Amino acid sequence: MLFRSPLRVRPFPGVASGFAARVAALGAPGVGLAQGESIVAQYAATRIAIHAYLGSSWLETLGWDVPTVCLHDPASYAFRPDAAPLLDALRRVGILHDSAASAAAHLAAIDADPSAWWGSADVQIARIAFCDRFANFAPTWEGELERELGAHAR
């Protein structure tokens, strides 16, 4: 059964009040809003993070090595051509999904042990390759950015 542990929904800032009422109205046991704790604490305690758009939060969970599934609408995002192979790799291993049906099927398939899926070599290779290029959490990121910008300065 998917979501054996409590499901906590963290809505985008500014929509929480109306969303909270709708979540409460569902009456589903174990479903609630993530409130009070910092986002970092919530990520540390999560079994799997599910994102419904390509914002900074999915880059954070990828970079912090939190099991992550992200659903996005391919028609809403334009990526640089050099990102295509890395995004394709994320799709192949089940991190990135172009439809809700695909994400739901994947979540059901890994529900018994998301850590085993996340820790697999293929998933980690795809995650690390993407993060190395697009989600740099290195302590030296400022110097790396400065060097990269300097290399492209006119």
Side-chain angles (χ1 to χ4, degrees), residues 3 7-12 39 42-43 46 48-73 77 94-100 103-104 107 117-118 137:
F3 307 126
L7 175 63
R8 297 290 173 251
V9 178
R10 184 179 177 100
F12 193 77
I39 189 70
Q42 291 175 40
Y43 289 158
T46 193
I48 187 164
I50 304 167
H51 302 282
Y53 64 95
L54 299 175
S56 58
S57 58
W58 90 291
L59 296 174
E60 290 169 346
T61 57
L62 285 175
W64 289 330
D65 200 15
V66 173
T68 300
V69 168
C70 186
L71 162 66
H72 81 106
D73 176 8
Y77 296 92
I95 293 173
L96 186 60
H97 296 268
D98 297 341
S99 73
L107 289 164
W117 160 71
W118 189 253
F137 282 74

Side-chain angles (χ1 to χ4, degrees), residues 65-94:
D65 200 15
V66 173
T68 300
V69 168
C70 186
L71 162 66
H72 81 106
D73 176 8
S76 297
Y77 296 92
F79 295 103
R80 297 172 10 185
D82 63 323
L86 298 171
L87 294 167
D88 288 344
L90 294 179
R91 285 184 185 95
R92 275 193 304 278
V93 300

